Amino acid sequence: AEALLSAVEEKGPEALPWDREARRLRERLIFLGPHLPNIPDVSDTALFATLRPHLLPRLHGMRRPDDLRKLDLTAILRGLPDWQTQRAMDEWAPTHITVPSGSRIPIDYSDPDAPVLAVRLQEMFGCTETPRVAAGTVPLTIHLLSPAHRPVQVTRDLANFWRTTYFDVRKDMKGRYPKHHWPDDPLAAPPTNRAKR
């Protein structure tokens, strides 16, 4: 097990079997590093020093690099912070946020300086407050999407978007997506995740 771990350390973090859930958890931990005490350092340079005592017992009986696929990195990463820190993580860096339409949308923490919420524009009607994480200190970067899920605007200031840029977007989108709502007053319109009836 020790020899296998040394070989993995030589190759770097990509030698480990990262699935989507484990990557997302690691990105949340990296985002939270500057905001919460007791967050383990899982950056590339510190990762193996942090993981070593948790990895070694799980490598028992493994000999080949292919055996590493059996590792549950999500479970290992979840075990790094203490219980209180795990609870704080869910408050400070939630995996999803509920938008005005009622949809639960995942937050992308891959850029720790600018977490992203990618959501269809119609689902945010009536919302002037930009959603925030880290106890309200970090505004999410909102990628407002067309009905085809393509970004039509990126903003950290929703109130300003509705007052200004929305009307240009509306003019462009209304012809392309006539079955969807493009109201004159987006702040008074009910948010929706559907096309017009």
Side-chain angles (χ1 to χ4, degrees):
E2 186 72 53
L4 184 56
L5 185 57
S6 299
V8 169
E9 285 173 334
E10 266 180 51
K11 287 183 181 175
E14 289 310 310
L16 293 170
W18 296 101
D19 61 16
R20 194 174 176 191
E21 192 182 357
R23 280 185 197 282
R24 286 189 164 173
L25 179 53
R26 184 184 180 203
E27 287 162 0
R28 285 172 67 216
L29 288 165
I30 291 169
F31 165 75
L32 284 168
H35 301 286
L36 278 179
N38 304 323
I39 291 291
D41 185 354
V42 290
S43 62
D44 278 2
T45 48
L47 187 68
F48 285 110
T50 309
L51 283 182
R52 181 172 253 280
H54 299 269
L55 270 178
L56 204 51
R58 287 177 165 89
L59 294 177
H60 186 71
M62 294 188 190
R63 287 180 176 76
R64 300 186 318 270
D66 278 357
D67 293 337
L68 293 171
R69 287 187 203 150
K70 298 172 195 165
L71 286 174
D72 183 348
L73 282 184
T74 302
I76 294 169
L77 289 171
R78 275 195 206 290
L80 296 179
D82 60 41
W83 179 78
Q84 282 181 310
T85 305
Q86 285 178 37
R87 282 190 62 191
M89 276 179 66
D90 291 334
E91 288 174 35
W92 281 64
T95 58
H96 292 71
I97 197 165
T98 302
V99 297
S101 67
S103 298
R104 263 184 98 240
I105 309 286
I107 300 171
D108 178 356
Y109 292 95
S110 55
D111 178 350
D113 297 322
V116 167
L117 179 73
V119 58
R120 281 182 297 182
L121 186 147
Q122 282 84 1
E123 300 205 48
M124 298 300 283
F125 285 156
C127 181
T128 56
E129 287 290 314
T130 304
R132 293 170 173 265
V133 289
T137 60
V138 178
L140 293 175
T141 300
I142 312 293
H143 288 212
L144 292 164
L145 308 178
S146 73
H149 292 271
R150 294 195 184 91
V152 293
Q153 184 68 31
V154 174
T155 184
R156 288 178 121 186
D157 185 348
L158 266 180
N160 185 55
F161 166 74
W162 296 127
R163 277 195 313 270
T164 57
T165 324
Y166 167 74
F167 299 98
D168 292 331
V169 170
R170 175 179 178 264
K171 195 161 62 175
D172 184 37
M173 292 285 114
K174 206 172 176 182
R176 283 200 229 176
Y177 303 101
K179 291 183 181 176
H180 292 264
H181 295 274
W182 305 102
D184 294 333
D185 184 353
L187 294 180
T192 180
N193 57 11
R194 300 170 185 273
K196 291 179 193 170
R197 295 198 169 206

